[in-house]
C-alpha cells in the first residue's frame, strides 16, 4: 500500500526537489503551496510544470493551491487525503524581508505552523518533519554549530519564528505524542534555487555585468549545502520518526532531544567557505569576472555558519556530501539552461 505524504511549500525550492524524488519513488504525494509573490512566481510555475510532467505516468501527485492560514482548507486536505507523513517546508522565507514585513512571518510561520500541527493532532500522523533554519544560531560565535548549543539570541524575526516553530513542535510532541523532527537547513543551493538567495543573485550579477554587492566587506562565511544532499537527508528520515530519548536528563536537559518523540538535526555540508571564495568558484565556472563592490554588514545577517552534522550522520549513515565545486558546476549548468529560454 502506498504511503500518503503531504509536502507543504511544494512549489518552493526544497519542496519541489523533494516532491520530484517522492513521485519517482512511487509514494502518493499531496503538494500544497500558495504561490505567493515574495519572489518571481514564474520559477514556481516552472517547478510545478516539471512536477506535473514527472507525475503524468505515475498518477501519484495532487497539487492544491492554498494558504497555511486557511484552517478549513487544511482540515479538508487531511480529511480527504489522509496523509500519514507530513513534511512541512512552507514558510515565509528571507532574513532581510522579515525586517520590512514582519506580519507575513507571523501569519505563515506561526499561525500556519500551529494550523498544520492541529491537523496532525486530530489525524494522529506517523511522522512530522519541519523546516527550521541555521538562522536560529543567531549571534553565536562558537563553531561548528551544534544542535545542543543555546539558541536563545536570534538576530532576525525570521530566525525567531523558526526557533518558535521548534518550541511549538516540542509542546505538541509532549502533549499529543506527535513524532516531530526539525531540520536546521544551512544555505541550501542548486538547480531551481530561490532567486532571492545569494547563489542566484551572484550568477545573475556576473552574467549580466551588474554590480555585485558583497556585504560585511566580504568577511561572511557560509556552510553552503547542495540540494541533493538535503533531499537525501529528508527522504531517509521519512521512515525514521523521532523517538523519545530514554536517557534524557531533566536536570541537565539536551536542546536537541526530549523525553517526548522530538528531535532536531543540522542539515549542512559540515564545512564552510568565505562568500568571496564561493563567488570565485562561480566566476571560474562562468569564465567571467564579477564587478564586486564591498558593503557593510546588513541588519539581521549572521557572520558565519558552520554545521556540526554528526548527529544526523549517525541516523542516516551518509558521509558523502557534494563538494562546493561540484555543486556550483551543476547549479551553473542549470542556470544557463533555464535562463536562456
Amino acid at each position: 500500500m502506498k504511503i500518503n505524504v503531504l509536502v507543504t511549500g511544494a512549489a518552493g525550492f526544497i519542496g519541489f526537489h523533494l516532491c520530484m524524488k517522492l513521485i519517482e519513488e512511487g509514494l502518493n504525494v499531496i503538494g500544497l503551496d500558495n504561490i505567493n509573490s515574495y519572489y518571481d512566481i514564474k520559477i514556481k510555475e516552472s517547478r510545478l510544470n516539471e512536477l506535473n510532467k514527472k507525475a503524468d505516468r505515475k498518477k501519484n501527485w495532487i497539487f492544491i493551491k492554498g494558504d497555511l492560514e486557511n484552517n478549513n482548507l487544511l482540515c479538508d486536505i487531511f480529511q480527504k487525503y489522509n496523509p500519514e507523513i507530513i513534511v512541512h517546508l512552507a514558510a515565509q522565507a528571507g532574513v532581510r524581508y522579515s525586517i520590512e514585513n514582519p506580519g507575513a512571518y507571523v501569519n505563515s510561520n506561526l499561525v500556519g505552523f500551529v494550523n498544520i500541527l492541529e491537523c496532525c493532532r486530530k489525524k494522529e500522523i506517523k511522522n512530522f518533519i519541519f523546516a527550521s533554519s541555521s538562522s536560529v544560531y543567531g549571534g553565536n560565535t562558537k563553531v561548528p554549530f551544534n544542535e545542543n548549543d543555546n539558541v536563545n539570541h536570534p538576530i532576525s524575526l525570521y530566525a525567531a519564528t523558526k526557533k518558535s516553530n521548534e518550541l511549538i513542535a516540542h509542546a505538541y510532541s509532549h502533549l499529543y505524542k506527535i513524532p516531530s523532527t526539525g531540520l536546521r537547513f544551512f544555505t541550501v543551493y542548486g538547480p531551481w534555487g530561490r532567486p532571492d538567495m545569494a547563489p542566484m543573485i551572484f550568477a545573475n550579477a556576473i552574467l549580466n555585468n551588474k554590480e555585485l554587492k558583497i556585504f560585511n566587506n566580504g568577511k561572511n562565511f557560509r556552510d553552503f549545502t547542495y540540494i541533493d544532499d538535503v533531499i537525501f537527508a529528508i527522504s531517509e528520515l521519512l521512515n525514521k520518526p523521532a523517538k523519545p530519548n530514554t536517557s534524557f536528563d531533566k536536570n541537565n536537559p539536551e536542546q536537541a532531544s526530549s523525553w517526548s518523540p522530538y528531535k532536531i538535526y543540522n542539515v549542512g555540508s559540515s564545512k564552510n567557505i568565505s562568500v568571496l571564495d564561493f563567488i570565485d568558484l562561480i566566476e571560474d565556472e562562468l569564465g567571467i569576472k564579477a564587478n564586486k563592490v564591498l558593503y557593510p554588514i546588513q541588519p539581521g545577517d549572521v557572520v558565519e555558519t558552520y554545521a556540526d552534522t554528526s548527529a544526523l550522520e549517525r541516523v542516516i549513515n551518509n558521509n558523502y556530501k557534494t563538494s562546493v565545486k561540484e555543486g556550483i558546476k551543476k547549479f551553473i549548468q542549470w542556470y544557463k539552461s533555464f535562463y536562456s529560454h
Side-chain angles (χ1 to χ4, degrees):
M1 190 171 176
K2 288 184 179 178
I3 296 173
N4 299 331
V5 182
L6 171 63
V7 179
T8 70
F13 174 32
I14 299 175
F16 158 73
H17 281 278
L18 179 62
C19 289
M20 288 287 278
K21 181 174 179 62
L22 299 184
I23 291 168
E24 182 63 36
E25 291 181 349
L27 283 70
N28 288 327
V29 185
I30 306 107
L32 174 68
D33 202 296
N34 67 356
I35 320 289
N36 72 20
S37 57
Y38 167 63
Y39 61 81
D40 188 359
I41 65 169
K42 288 179 183 176
I43 192 167
K44 297 181 183 183
E45 291 169 344
S46 295
R47 292 175 187 143
L48 284 177
N49 287 337
E50 292 296 312
L51 287 167
N52 291 333
K53 284 190 285 185
K54 170 73 78 174
D56 267 352
R57 69 181 188 276
K58 291 181 175 287
K59 309 299 181 189
N60 60 339
W61 161 251
I62 295 157
F63 177 73
I64 299 153
K65 183 178 179 181
D67 288 307
L68 297 172
E69 301 96 295
N70 186 341
N71 197 42
N72 290 334
L73 173 65
L74 292 179
C75 289
D76 288 345
I77 291 170
F78 274 73
Q79 189 64 39
K80 183 174 181 180
Y81 299 107
N82 290 307
E84 300 156 78
I85 297 172
I86 315 300
V87 184
H88 181 49
L89 302 172
Q92 178 56 60
V95 168
R96 290 163 192 162
Y97 187 59
S98 69
I99 297 169
E100 303 167 23
N101 190 2
Y105 292 76
V106 172
N107 291 335
S108 181
N109 300 9
L110 298 179
V111 175
F113 192 79
V114 171
N115 285 346
I116 284 282
L117 277 169
E118 275 294 287
C119 293
C120 292
R121 173 174 73 88
K122 293 169 186 174
K123 296 297 287 187
E124 297 183 358
I125 56 95
K126 295 177 180 176
N127 195 359
F128 177 65
I129 298 172
F130 66 95
S132 187
S133 168
S134 62
S135 297
V136 301
Y137 290 103
N140 290 13
T141 56
K142 179 187 76 67
V143 292
F145 296 152
N146 183 277
E147 296 94 336
N148 285 309
D149 294 341
N150 184 301
V151 289
N152 291 328
H153 298 88
I155 58 175
S156 69
L157 179 65
Y158 170 70
T161 64
K162 288 299 185 179
K163 175 57 181 172
S164 298
N165 288 169
E166 295 180 1
L167 295 172
I168 293 167
H170 183 269
Y172 271 77
S173 176
H174 167 67
L175 291 169
Y176 309 113
K177 307 308 178 212
I178 298 171
S180 302
T181 301
L183 304 179
R184 293 175 177 169
F185 296 127
F186 280 70
T187 317
V188 185
Y189 75 102
W192 298 96
R194 278 177 23 211
D196 65 309
M197 290 190 71
M200 294 276 277
I201 292 170
F202 296 161
N204 177 268
I206 295 169
L207 279 168
N208 293 287
N209 196 29
K210 297 177 184 175
E211 176 185 292
L212 178 49
K213 295 180 179 179
I214 303 171
F215 295 99
N216 196 27
N217 297 304
K219 295 176 183 175
N220 284 344
F221 287 76
R222 292 289 178 267
D223 187 328
F224 288 99
T225 313
Y226 190 66
I227 184 64
D228 288 359
D229 301 333
V230 171
I231 300 308
F232 176 83
I234 299 173
S235 61
E236 285 290 298
L237 290 169
L238 290 183
N239 297 312
K240 293 179 173 29
K243 296 178 181 178
N245 178 357
T246 55
S247 60
F248 190 85
D249 181 359
K250 291 186 178 181
N251 292 315
N252 186 26
E254 285 189 9
Q255 304 292 311
S257 70
S258 174
W259 63 87
S260 300
Y262 173 85
K263 190 66 182 171
I264 297 292
Y265 293 112
N266 288 335
V267 182
S269 70
S270 63
K271 60 176 69 71
N272 68 5
I273 69 169
S274 76
V275 170
L276 284 174
D277 286 345
F278 189 83
I279 292 169
D280 286 346
L281 289 170
I282 294 177
E283 289 176 323
D284 290 345
E285 192 59 39
L286 290 172
I288 305 170
K289 283 294 180 185
N291 177 20
K292 305 185 190 83
V293 182
L294 301 181
Y295 284 81
I297 194 168
Q298 288 195 303
D301 264 8
V302 173
V303 173
E304 181 175 18
T305 67
Y306 177 10
D308 176 347
T309 59
S310 55
L312 179 63
E313 285 157 17
R314 285 194 293 271
V315 175
I316 65 172
N317 299 316
N318 176 41
N319 294 315
Y320 172 75
K321 295 184 179 72
T322 306
S323 71
V324 176
K325 187 171 183 179
E326 182 185 352
I328 286 175
K329 181 180 180 67
K330 292 177 179 177
F331 164 64
I332 293 298
Q333 286 174 345
W334 167 82
Y335 188 96
K336 291 196 290 190
S337 171
F338 183 78
Y339 285 102
S340 66
H341 296 162

